[in-house]
Amino acid sequence: MRPPPGQLAMFGAPAPGRDPARALPSREDALPRAADLARHMSALLGLPVHLRLTDNRATLVSYRRLSDGVRLRLHHLFLDAPDSVVRALALYVAGDTAAREVLESFSHAHQGQVRRERRPGAPLRTRGRCFDLKAVHARLDAAYFDGRVHGVEVGWARRPGRRTRRTIHLGGYDARLREVRVHPALDRPTVPAFVVDYLVFHALLHADLAATDAGPDAHDAAGRCAAEHPPAFLAREAAFPLREAAWRWLLENLSSLRRG
């Protein structure tokens, strides 16, 4: 199935033998190159381009037209794209669907730069040392979703290497695999249960809205929550009773969570 307009998905599996954890290039390296690419795209399109780099595994290109230009989310592999591919990217954003073939050909040729997914059919680990996410999922589904998200898998993400991270992705919904993954740094006795509940609720809300009427603005197809949430999402999220307390705890303990 083709992705919806405004999105270019990754088809096929990444090439074997490459690093599955390959991440974004360093900020110092990526920012000037991204700025140059945005300027080039702006010149080709004749309007401002607001570019954000991603490490999405499924949606490599997505865009949204705004009153002041185009918001473009682009996989970092396009930083190395030749001029012919950049021109095809501009045509694609401008609505020329024929340019998709050029972008897909380029993405397939650079599959090693797209992180591999969990092996198909491999179950997520739900029981941690402190929290059983299967039980959390069942309780939240019954309380807030009337059983609608029972088919979504919820489990712990793989534990990363031992190092202090500048950023940490605490949880998210993968729309293609219908999975919610929670960072294992939260599986510790010092983490309040309502914080884990909130993160799972937030991700399940993405899953519920993705299946109804929120469309691509509610999530990205690689399991990351969208940077801006639509009003329908925010209205329903406000119903979670300890949302503000969960946010405060996460902000106050972010440094500790980044240390793993």
Side-chain angles (χ1 to χ4, degrees):
M1 179 180 293
R2 289 282 188 177
Q7 293 187 1
L8 173 69
M10 181 69 190
F11 298 96
R18 307 298 287 270
D19 180 7
R22 181 166 181 164
L24 287 165
S26 70
R27 181 181 178 85
E28 294 76 10
D29 177 48
L31 284 181
R33 295 163 63 195
D36 287 343
L37 180 56
R39 282 192 291 269
H40 192 176
M41 289 285 296
S42 295
L44 292 171
L45 290 168
L47 72 170
V49 172
H50 310 281
L51 176 62
R52 175 177 293 180
L53 293 179
T54 77
D55 197 24
N56 292 353
R57 294 167 299 171
T59 302
L60 303 186
V61 180
S62 65
Y63 65 88
R64 183 180 178 187
R65 291 185 175 87
L66 306 171
S67 60
D68 62 342
V70 172
R71 179 180 296 139
L72 176 64
R73 293 170 60 87
L74 196 64
H75 194 280
H76 66 83
L77 69 87
F78 284 93
L79 288 177
D80 299 318
D83 187 67
S84 59
V85 173
V86 175
R87 290 182 177 277
L89 183 60
L91 290 172
Y92 176 71
V93 172
D96 185 347
T97 57
R100 182 193 296 271
E101 294 184 7
V102 176
L103 302 181
E104 289 180 353
S105 177
F106 177 77
S107 67
H108 276 296
H110 295 79
Q111 289 181 23
Q113 290 179 251
V114 181
R115 296 179 301 164
R116 285 180 286 190
E117 296 175 356
R118 184 175 58 84
R119 178 170 55 86
L124 286 173
R125 181 176 64 90
T126 61
R127 186 179 293 275
R129 294 177 300 169
C130 302
F131 297 100
D132 182 353
L133 295 182
K134 183 177 181 179
V136 172
H137 177 199
R139 176 165 44 79
L140 294 175
D141 187 22
Y144 296 100
F145 301 98
D146 296 325
R148 291 190 302 273
V149 292
H150 70 277
V152 176
E153 287 192 72
V154 180
W156 295 105
R158 290 185 300 175
R159 185 169 293 278
R162 285 288 183 181
R163 61 185 179 87
T164 299
R165 294 170 292 275
R166 292 183 179 179
T167 61
I168 182 170
H169 183 58
L170 295 173
Y173 172 60
D174 187 320
R176 190 167 62 164
L177 298 178
R178 286 181 57 77
E179 289 180 351
V180 171
R181 289 184 289 273
V182 181
H183 198 287
L186 292 158
D187 187 27
R188 58 177 71 172
T190 55
V191 177
F194 69 82
V195 171
V196 176
D197 281 5
Y198 166 71
L199 289 170
V200 175
F201 168 80
H202 182 104
L204 289 174
L205 184 52
H206 276 284
D208 190 39
L209 289 176
T212 54
D213 59 0
D217 288 338
H219 60 87
D220 65 37
R224 301 288 177 91
C225 298
E228 293 99 12
H229 296 95
F233 185 101
L234 297 175
R236 289 184 56 187
E237 188 191 39
F240 189 81
L242 293 174
R243 181 186 63 165
E244 297 302 323
W247 266 113
R248 283 197 301 271
W249 189 93
L250 289 168
L251 291 173
E252 292 169 359
N253 292 272
L254 192 58
S255 295
S256 175
L257 293 172
R258 284 203 299 261
R259 291 194 295 270

